[in-house]
């Protein structure tokens, strides 16, 4: 052993050194540097140069190309080919309401931000997946608490979550997974089982072996994804990796929103995950308004009309849902239709490259007629081309087409070739 | 891929090459071309090992007259890793070149790791296995067994011996495990086979000791040819290894044990006199003719060689007064007696070998020349007396080590007698230390003997000091930075707490409750913001104990434990291993944990905290050595007088390299990421900071210096979010990776 055993009584090595390191010395050195650290950060980044005054005297960001590319990456990641997707999803949303959720690095607090964005997510989820079901579990004070059962009504989930905000104690991922698994296990085989965890905590306090819980999820073919708010946690990464989910970390509120909404479109389904099968469905009729009825879901008297189950004539007040009496899946035909676009997505637009033939570039976006980049005097940013109809679009229209419209305006305006897929 | 490096075709087993690997190869090649030594620093995680291996083996292919590659590692674990890399490289080279690229590479370790004898291998400690093996394989045991079949022998050794020189390993790369498997298959002893095969191998990988410790090197590395290339990997502590190789500590128990050994030897000699006097006479005659001929001993009879360096051993006859066994024993008795008397000193005594010898001569009548032969004489006696249980005579061997070293060296050593441990002045625990002060002594023969010696590590800064410490002239000295696709390490210097008061472990500040609290708050805040594992290094065990105690009283420990479990390194190896194990488990299952450890401890030296096992490392204070230690004092003085290295320079150098070593634990590859906090205001000073290795310094932004706790916390949060974003590790275009095509086109490569 080297004779290094340092010592409580004697002065340590540094006491022997000619001691020049007084605080004054330190400050002198600091003053010698030309600028404070915070100043330098601005100086280095030169953020003002990112702005530019346009003809109208408005300030504009100089170049948004990089930014836009970054945002487009999300669409590009989605596979364009026609793939099988899990259309009937059963998703358990696990919301972490442990002590860490009270932190204020997101404003006003992580919890408030999460609650607001979860609301957006739930609406978007049902919008995109009308045939699906969702339930919420809260992690708080070391236990997992079931806020809502798996069901199809967005409003009831949102109210339940809002009613029980309040952060406390530790989060237990294992408890959350176990509870979610209990809810998802009896789901029929055609249903696509998913867990999405919105996690603030960087630690999980579990009563048992979390690896066993993860293995059980894997066994039950539950796809677990995690959206983190702070930093990468090994166990979450493992969970996502083993169960085929994704693990993403939000850097800001906007990013968190994007990451959550990534879970709204149905994920690709694997053959063995959900074998193809025929499902019996009912398309209930709506009772005229004013006729009093007792709805089966809330056991409530309702006057504003309800849907009547075609098989057992029970009343339900919301669609889509499962009949509470005969458990047939009830929905309306528009729901079915809306799920359709996932199967025939609009192909992602390509970014137009300056090198490709520059003959007669359209100066404006085909959809919105806004000026496009790439021509003299045009805006900055990216210019996008539809690979099918070869029309040019701006960045904003690209987002709308792929996120909400699910139809390419260019392709729709052109006489359809006989072999063209619909959509 | 394969590419051309200044006229040398280099075979590299991967598709891509980092630019720093390229420059590294260039430097190594220049050193080899110039037949000189090299000193190279390149951070861990940049594939240093594979770079070295691939360049040197390619060089061997191009220059068949070049000797072996001798790769020295610190631990068996590292040895296995190197062999794994080599195996990959070998497979690639063979694919490219066919049979002619075949090489023989093997790892050599002690019997403990190589023995396959069913009972002996389970003996436990290294000494026990060695002794157990000797009992079964010594020449006289074997010749006795020839007459008496009841005497047990080792079948594996017999199997190996029967084959004689035909026992050969086919070409290939052998880890220790492979050697054992092969040995079992053939019924040959892997240990002796490996020793035998060194002569034929192209690449030999073994421990530092085999090269540096004269006791071992004399046996193992004696026959290596001059053209060999010697590589010392992870060599940042090489000076300490050199010093330890030539230092001996004697305690009260050692001397008592030596006395018992002497009595026992006396009895054996008497017995022999009665039964086999010829044997003793033969030995006497041999000694008259010259030194016991160690060189001609069969391998299985070799124990350890002389502790002094080969060049310093006089090739002359053993002096007359110790040629007879009983005279020699009487001589040793006097010597032990004298040592015992010196050990009884009430005060700390410190002197050089010359005055020690003088006193020895005056009071016990023992002169330096006789003392010098102590070790060889004992060795010869033990062989004559057919003693196989060397472990039993361990104490006496140590005393003879001491004697030989004192007798041989008059320079660069100090003898320090301390009657008690300074921590516990009332308990008498005398110790006599013969301490080598000059690290260049042990490594000198290596530099002289071998054509190229490459010393390399992740942390060799400040690199200029090493040539002076080791007293050699490298033809190339270079420190490489790491090319990064993202900022995968984030060093910060924290100089004050949230209350803006400076923090430091300086002696006058370290026990200040304000500093202790600020240090504690830092950890609490970080425990909240950093996921999984955090490692904290303290400057010493006593400081760690004190600060953890205070944290406990202040309730800080409890707060930490709300977020993470706490584990502590202790001086007990088993306890520490257990703690580490549980620490890893806590990180694996998401609970998160903090590990408290000590700079210069076992953990700081050998345990990796990569990936989630260490997202943050906090270095509390500057880990200076304890300067009141007599040995350090003596060494500092010696360095100042002999090499003109100022005390201050050496201490700072040593402290900073330890700190760099500690924080370097968290990052072991480029795809990993981790933060490092240097929590002491003294790191703010240029003279300290500038001694940090290049790869840390280049990442240390100005805005990350002189931070307070809240600023550091903010940076940490941002950093962790940024690092958690998906990234693309292959970026050939940005110039952080080179592929074959990029290397084909001529391009200026800047170095450093
Ligand atoms: S000869 Fe080899 S196998 Fe036999 S005891 Fe010795 S080391 Fe073990």
């Amino acid at each position: 052993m080297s004779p290094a055993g340092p010592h409580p009584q004697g002065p340590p090595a540094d006491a022997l050194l000619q001691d020049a390191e007084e605080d004054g010395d330190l400050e002198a050195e600091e003053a010698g540097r030309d600028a404070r650290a915070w100043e330098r950060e601005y100086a280095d980044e030169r953020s003002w140069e990112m702005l530019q005054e346009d003809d109208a005297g408005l300030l504009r960001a100089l170049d948004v190309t990089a930014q836009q590319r970054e945002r487009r990456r999300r669409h590009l990641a989605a596979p364009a080919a026609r793939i099988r997707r899990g259309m009937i999803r059963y998703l358990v949303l696990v919301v972490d309401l442990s002590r860490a959720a009270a932190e204020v690095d997101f404003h006003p607090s992580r919890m408030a931000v999460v609650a607001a964005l979860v609301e957006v997510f739930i609406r978007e989820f049902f919008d995109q997946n009308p045939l699906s079901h969702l339930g919420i579990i809260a992690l708080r004070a070391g236990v997992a608490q079931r806020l809502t059962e798996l069901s199809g009504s967005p409003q009831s989930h949102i109210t339940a979550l809002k009613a029980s905000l309040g952060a406390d104690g530790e989060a237990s991922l294992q408890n959350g997974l176990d509870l979610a698994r209990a809810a998802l296990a009896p789901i029929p085989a055609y249903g696509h089982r998913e867990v999405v965890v919105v996690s603030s905590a960087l630690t999980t306090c579990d009563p048992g072996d979390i690896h066993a819980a993860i293995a059980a999820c894997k066994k039950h073919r539950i796809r677990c994804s995690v959206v983190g708010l702070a930093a990468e946690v090994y166990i979450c990464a493992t969970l996502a990796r083993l169960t085929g989910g994704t693990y993403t970390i939000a850097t800001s509120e906007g990013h968190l929103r994007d990451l959550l909404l990534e879970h709204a479109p149905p994920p690709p389904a694997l053959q063995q995950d959900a074998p193809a099968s025929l499902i019996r469905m009912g398309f209930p009729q709506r009772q005229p308004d004013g006729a009093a009825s007792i709805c089966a879901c809330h056991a409530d008297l309702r006057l504003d009309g309800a849907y009547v189950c075609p098989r057992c004539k029970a009343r339900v007040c919301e669609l889509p849902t499962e009949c509470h009496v005969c458990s047939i899946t009830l929905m309306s035909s528009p729901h079915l239709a809306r799920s359709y676009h996932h199967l025939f997505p609009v192909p992602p637009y390509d970014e137009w490259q300056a090198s490709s033939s520059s003959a007669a570039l359209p100066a404006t976006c085909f959809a919105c007629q806004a000026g496009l980049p790439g021509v003299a005097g045009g805006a900055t940013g990216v210019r996008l081309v539809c690979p099918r109809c070869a029309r040019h679009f701006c960045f904003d229209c690209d987002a709308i087409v792929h996120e909400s419209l699910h139809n390419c305006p260019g392709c729709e305006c052109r006489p359809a070739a006989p072999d063209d897929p619909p959509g | 891929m394969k590419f051309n490096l200044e006229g040398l075709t280099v075979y590299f087993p991967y598709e891509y090459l980092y630019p720093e690997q390229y420059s590294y190869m260039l430097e190594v090649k220049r050193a080899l071309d110039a037949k000189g030594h090299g000193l190279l620093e390149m951070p861990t995680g940049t594939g240093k090992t594979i770079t070295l291996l691939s360049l040197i083996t390619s060089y061997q292919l191009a220059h068949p007259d070049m000797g072996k590659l001798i790769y020295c590692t610190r631990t068996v674990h590292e040895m296995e890793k190197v062999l794994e890399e080599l195996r990959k490289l070998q497979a690639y080279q063979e694919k490219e070149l066919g049979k002619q690229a075949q090489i023989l590479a093997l790892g050599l370790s002690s019997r403990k790791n190589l023995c396959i004898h069913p009972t002996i291998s389970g003996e436990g400690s290294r000494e026990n296995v060695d002794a157990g093996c000797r009992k079964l394989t010594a020449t006289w045991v074997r010749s006795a067994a020839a007459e008496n079949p009841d005497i047990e022998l080792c079948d594996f050794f017999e199997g190996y011996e029967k084959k004689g020189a035909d026992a050969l390993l086919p070409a290939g790369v052998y880890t220790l495990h492979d050697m054992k498997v092969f040995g079992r298959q053939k019924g040959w002893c892997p240990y002796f086979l490996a020793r035998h095969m060194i002569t034929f191998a192209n690449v030999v990988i073994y421990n530092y000791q085999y090269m540096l410790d004269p006791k071992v090197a004399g046996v193992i590395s004696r026959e290596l040819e001059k053209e060999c290339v010697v590589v010392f990997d992870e060599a940042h502590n090489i000076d300490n290894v050199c010093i330890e190789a030539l230092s001996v500590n004697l305690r009260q128990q050692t001397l008592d044990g030596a006395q018992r050994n002497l009595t026992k030897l006396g009895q054996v000699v008497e017995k022999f006199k009665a039964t086999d006097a010829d044997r003793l006479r033969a030995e006497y005659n041999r000694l008259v003719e010259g030194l016991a001929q160690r060189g001609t001993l069969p391998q299985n009879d070799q124990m350890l060689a002389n502790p002094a360096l080969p060049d310093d051993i006089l090739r002359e006859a053993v002096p007359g007064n110790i040629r007879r066994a009983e005279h020699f024993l009487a001589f040793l008795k006097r010597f032990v007696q004298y040592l015992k008397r010196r050990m009884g000193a009430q005060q700390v005594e410190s002197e050089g070998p010359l005055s020690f010898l003088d006193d020895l001569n005056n009071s016990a009548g023992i002169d330096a020349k006789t003392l010098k032969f102590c070790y060889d004489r004992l060795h010869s006696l033990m062989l004559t007396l057919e003693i196989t249980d060397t472990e039993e005579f361990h104490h006496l061997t140590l005393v003879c080590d001491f004697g030989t070293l004192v007798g041989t060296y008059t320079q660069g050593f100090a003898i320090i007698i301390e009657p008690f441990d300074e921590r516990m002045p009332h308990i008498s625990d005398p110790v006599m230390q013969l301490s080598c002060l000059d690290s260049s002594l042990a490594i000198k023969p290596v530099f002289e003997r071998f054509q190229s010696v490459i010393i390399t590590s992740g942390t060799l800064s400040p690199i200029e000091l090493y040539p002076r410490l080791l007293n050699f002239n490298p033809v190339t000295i270079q420190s490489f930075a790491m090319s990064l696709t993202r900022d995968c390490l984030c060093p910060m210097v924290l100089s004050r707490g949230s209350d803006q008061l400076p923090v430091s472990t300086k002696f006058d500040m370290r026990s200040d409750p304000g500093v202790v609290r600020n240090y504690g708050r830092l950890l609490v805040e970080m425990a909240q913001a950093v996921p999984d594992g955090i490692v904290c290094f303290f400057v010493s065990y006593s400081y760690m104990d004190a600060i953890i105690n205070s944290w406990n009283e202040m309730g800080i420990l409890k707060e930490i434990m709300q977020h993470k479990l706490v584990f502590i390194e202790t001086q007990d190896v088993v306890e520490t291993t257990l703690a580490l194990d549980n620490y890893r488990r806590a990180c694996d299952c998401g609970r998160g944990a903090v590990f408290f450890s000590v700079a210069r401890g076992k953990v700081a030296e050998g345990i990796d905290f990569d990936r989630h096992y260490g997202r943050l490392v906090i270095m509390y204070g500057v880990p200076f050595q304890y300067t009141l230690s007599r040995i350090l004092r003596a060494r500092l003085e010696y360095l100042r007088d002999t090499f003109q290295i100022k005390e201050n320079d050496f201490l700072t150098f040593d402290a900073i390299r330890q700190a760099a070593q500690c924080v370097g634990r968290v990052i072991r590859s480029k795809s990993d990421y981790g933060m490092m906090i240097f929590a002491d205001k003294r790191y703010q000073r240029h003279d300290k900071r500038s001694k940090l290795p290049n790869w840390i310094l280049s990442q240390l932004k100005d805005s990350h210096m002189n931070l307070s706790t809240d600023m550091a916390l903010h940076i940490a949060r941002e950093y962790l979010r940024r690092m958690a974003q998906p990234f693309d590790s292959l970026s050939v275009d940005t110039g952080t990776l080179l592929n074959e095509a990029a290397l084909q086109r001529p391009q200026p490569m800047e170095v450093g």
Side-chain angles (χ1 to χ4, degrees), chain A residues 7 12-14 17-18 21 23 25 29-30 40 103 105 202-204 229-230 232 234-235 249-250 255, chain B residues 507 529 531-532 540 588 590-591 612 624-627 648 673 681-682 684-685 702 706 717 721 724-725:
Chain A
H7 212 263
D14 34 344
L17 308 181
Q18 292 84 7
E21 34 198 80
D23 295 8
D25 198 36
E29 190 178 320
E30 200 178 305
R40 203 164 314 112
E103 283 196 34
D105 52 350
L202 291 177
T203 161
T204 153
L229 269 73
E232 183 185 347
Y234 174 74
I235 195 70
I249 308 290
H255 191 207
Chain B
F507 184 64
D532 301 326
S540 68
D588 279 338
R591 181 66 183 87
H612 61 288
F624 282 111
Q625 282 194 52
Y626 170 58
T627 34
N648 204 338
Y673 63 91
K681 66 168 182 165
R682 287 172 290 174
Q684 192 61 30
R685 293 170 46 82
D702 280 354
N706 199 8
R717 286 213 158 117
R721 288 217 170 92
Q725 301 311 314

Side-chain angles (χ1 to χ4, degrees), chain B residues 110-112 114-118 120-121 129-130 132-134 136-137 153-158 160 188-193 300:
Chain B
S110 64
R111 287 185 178 89
K112 174 174 179 274
L114 278 174
C115 181
I116 49 172
H117 189 278
I120 305 284
S121 58
V129 178
D130 280 359
C133 174
R134 260 183 222 119
L136 300 185
T137 59
L153 293 176
C154 174
D155 296 338
F156 297 106
F157 183 76
E158 298 307 314
Y160 161 75
W188 298 345
C189 167
Y191 173 76
F192 287 102
L193 182 62
N300 46 327

Side-chain angles (χ1 to χ4, degrees), chain B residues 627-641:
Chain B
T627 34
L628 284 195
S629 141
R630 316 264 158 194
I631 297 182
L632 180 61
R633 281 281 183 80
R635 184 163 178 214
L636 286 176
E637 224 162 86
Y638 184 82
L639 285 177
R640 194 185 52 216
D641 297 345

Side-chain angles (χ1 to χ4, degrees), chain A residues 1-27 29-30 33-38 40-41 44 70 73 99-100 103-106 110 170 173 200-206 208-211 214 228-236 238 241 247-252 255 259, chain B residues 240 244 421-423 495-496 502 504-508 510 527-532 539-542 561-564 585 587-592 600 602 611-613 615 622 624-629 631-633 636 647-648 651-652 673 681-682 684-689 702-706 711 717-718 720-726:
Chain A
M1 266 311 287
S2 62
H7 212 263
Q9 290 123 22
D14 34 344
L16 268 193
L17 308 181
Q18 292 84 7
D19 212 320
E21 34 198 80
E22 287 320 307
D23 295 8
D25 198 36
L26 203 116
E27 265 144 40
E29 190 178 320
E30 200 178 305
R33 288 195 265 122
D34 39 1
R36 299 270 167 189
W38 61 268
R40 203 164 314 112
E41 201 147 289
D44 287 347
E70 185 55 39
R73 215 175 258 180
R99 206 181 311 115
E103 283 196 34
V104 292
D105 52 350
F106 284 74
R110 288 185 185 177
E170 318 282 346
L173 191 57
S200 301
L202 291 177
T203 161
T204 153
C205 282
D206 300 321
D209 183 5
I210 188 160
H211 296 286
I214 294 177
L229 269 73
E232 183 185 347
V233 181
Y234 174 74
I235 195 70
C236 296
T238 315
R241 184 166 41 85
Y247 182 35
T248 44
I249 308 290
T251 52
S252 65
H255 191 207
L259 293 180
Chain B
N240 293 338
E244 269 164 45
D421 190 320
E422 279 185 52
R423 267 158 272 206
S495 53
R496 52 221 149 89
S504 173
T505 56
K506 241 165 93 173
F507 184 64
D508 48 353
R510 59 165 61 169
Q528 280 178 49
V530 178
D532 301 326
V539 290
S540 68
Y541 280 111
S542 53
M561 288 211 266
Q562 279 188 347
H563 303 288
K564 298 207 185 290
R585 290 225 323 255
C587 293
D588 279 338
C589 75
R591 181 66 183 87
R600 294 169 201 282
K602 282 268 173 294
R611 298 173 301 134
H612 61 288
Y613 297 128
R615 285 296 181 216
V622 186
F624 282 111
Q625 282 194 52
Y626 170 58
T627 34
L628 284 195
S629 141
I631 297 182
L632 180 61
R633 281 281 183 80
L636 286 176
E647 290 181 6
N648 204 338
L651 286 174
T652 313
Y673 63 91
K681 66 168 182 165
R682 287 172 290 174
Q684 192 61 30
R685 293 170 46 82
H686 182 73
D687 66 326
K688 303 266 186 318
R689 206 176 55 225
D702 280 354
S703 55
H704 288 185
M705 281 193 280
N706 199 8
M711 290 153 81
R717 286 213 158 117
E718 290 301 302
L720 286 170
R721 288 217 170 92
R722 202 166 66 236
M723 283 301 122
Q725 301 311 314

Side-chain angles (χ1 to χ4, degrees), chain B residues 715-741:
Chain B
I715 293 176
R717 286 213 158 117
E718 290 301 302
Y719 177 78
L720 286 170
R721 288 217 170 92
R722 202 166 66 236
M723 283 301 122
Q725 301 311 314
F727 92 111
D728 165 24
S729 59
L730 285 184
S731 40
V732 184
D733 331 328
T734 55
T736 48
L737 275 178
L738 305 170
N739 58 10
E740 205 168 324

Side-chain angles (χ1 to χ4, degrees), chain A residues 202-291:
Chain A
L202 291 177
T203 161
T204 153
C205 282
D206 300 321
D209 183 5
I210 188 160
H211 296 286
I214 294 177
C217 284
K218 190 173 155 63
K219 199 170 127 249
H220 283 91
R221 302 192 319 264
I222 301 175
R223 181 180 191 264
C224 305
S225 300
V226 185
V227 178
L229 269 73
E232 183 185 347
V233 181
Y234 174 74
I235 195 70
C236 296
T238 315
L239 171 67
R241 184 166 41 85
L242 290 180
T243 60
T246 59
Y247 182 35
T248 44
I249 308 290
T251 52
S252 65
E253 195 177 328
H255 191 207
L256 178 62
R257 184 195 161 94
D258 287 354
L259 293 180
L260 268 178
L261 292 187
E262 253 172 45
H263 292 287
L270 294 174
Q271 191 69 40
Q272 63 268 34
D273 274 5
S277 61
L278 291 174
I279 307 159
R280 187 185 287 272
M281 285 183 186
F283 297 91
Q285 278 195 331
R286 197 180 156 89
Q287 233 180 17
D289 280 2

